[in-house]
Amino acid sequence: MRHWKPRSAHGRWMALGLLILALGGVTLAVVDLIRRLSGSPETWQIDIGALGWLLLLIGSLLAALWSAHRLMSALTLTYDIDRNGLYIRWAGNQVIIPLDRIITIDVGAGPVFLPFGPFQRVGTYWGRAFTGEAPLYLYATQPPGECLIIYTTDAAYALSPEDPDAFVQDLEQRRSLGATKVLQPSLEHSRVFHYAFWRDRTVLALVLAAMMINLLAFGLVAVAYPSLAPLVEMRFDATGELAELRPRHQTLFLPLAAFGLSLLNTTAGLALYRSLPLGARLLQGASVIVQLLFLVAVVQILW
């Protein structure tokens, strides 16, 4: 098996720059939230500004994770060839292209529409592009117009090996030798990143719904907090009568508890998904129900 590296490009520097910027956002948000929550609970500074810093923290964390993944993809992208297939590998993932499925090899694709615009060139060119013909899958460090385009019976692949001429020569020589075993075109995702879980539309929709409801609960508390009395009604007996007054900072514990339960369900879903996808989906559905119940409790306490 011959190992080929991709051409170097500025995409990895874009990924690194975005990662540093996102980590800076995380740092700023954490510092401000710590400042707001320092001292005794009675002096905590909870308001709409705190909600803004919380949103910045969440957004920066997501951006940092995405940038780190794109940087890892750029640093680990390789092309391997043997008598049976072409193997594209990055960040633990692998695409297998059987050599007997290759029809032709060309240089550069025609006008290509990148659905995610400039973000699709961060780290490496990734995802699926549209050329008006066969779907074009991007696994390259160069724009599609400068790549080798591998056409198969049902798709096309954009690659950017370090030495394109030698790569094509090696590929053709191995094709002429004939395959020793039959391969099927496939995409094998790394298990480390739980791609199957996050690519499930039902799971993703439920996780996002739970997150949005939880943020709404935090937002309601943040908006109402400055005008709350030092003691608020937070507990009732079986007849609905007031049983206890609690310090106002304890209103924060409701959305925090709901977040903890959703995080637990998501973690359990990640572990369960491969063996029992339905069970993982049900756990995320339960998270949405829990968030709704806690949201109702927050509304009743604040108003």
Side-chain angles (χ1 to χ4, degrees), residues 159-178:
L159 281 63
S160 56
E162 201 169 38
D163 188 340
D165 294 334
F167 178 87
V168 172
Q169 184 178 9
D170 183 27
L171 186 64
E172 294 295 354
Q173 287 177 349
R174 294 176 188 272
R175 288 180 66 194
S176 65
L177 293 174

Side-chain angles (χ1 to χ4, degrees), residues 11-66:
R12 65 184 62 181
W13 297 109
M14 291 177 62
L16 180 59
L18 286 176
L19 177 59
I20 293 173
L21 185 63
L23 291 176
V26 170
T27 302
L28 288 175
V30 168
V31 168
D32 187 84
L33 290 173
I34 290 175
R35 179 184 63 81
R36 288 173 175 272
L37 299 177
S38 61
S40 63
E42 290 76 13
T43 63
W44 286 356
Q45 301 175 37
I46 307 299
D47 52 24
I48 194 65
L51 177 63
W53 285 107
L54 177 62
L55 293 176
L56 176 63
L57 175 61
I58 294 171
S60 297
L61 279 173
L62 293 175
L65 290 172
W66 183 78

Side-chain angles (χ1 to χ4, degrees), residues 194 197-198 203 207 259-274 280 283-284 287:
H194 301 282
F197 180 85
W198 296 114
V203 166
V207 170
F259 173 76
L261 289 172
S262 290
L263 185 62
L264 181 63
N265 282 349
T266 301
T267 303
L270 288 170
L272 189 63
Y273 188 84
R274 284 191 174 273
L283 282 172
Q284 309 321 306
S287 291

Side-chain angles (χ1 to χ4, degrees), residues 1-4 79-82 87 89 166-167 170 174:
M1 180 178 289
R2 181 73 181 274
H3 178 81
W4 295 88
Y79 313 117
D80 297 318
I81 307 174
D82 64 14
Y87 309 88
R89 299 186 172 105
F167 178 87
D170 183 27
R174 294 176 188 272

Side-chain angles (χ1 to χ4, degrees), residues 206-207 209-211 213-214 258-267 280-294:
L206 291 171
V207 170
M211 179 185 296
I213 297 170
N214 189 248
F259 173 76
L261 289 172
S262 290
L263 185 62
L264 181 63
N265 282 349
T266 301
T267 303
R281 296 188 188 105
L282 289 174
L283 282 172
Q284 309 321 306
S287 291
V288 174
I289 294 173
V290 167
Q291 294 292 344
L292 287 171
L293 293 175
F294 274 89

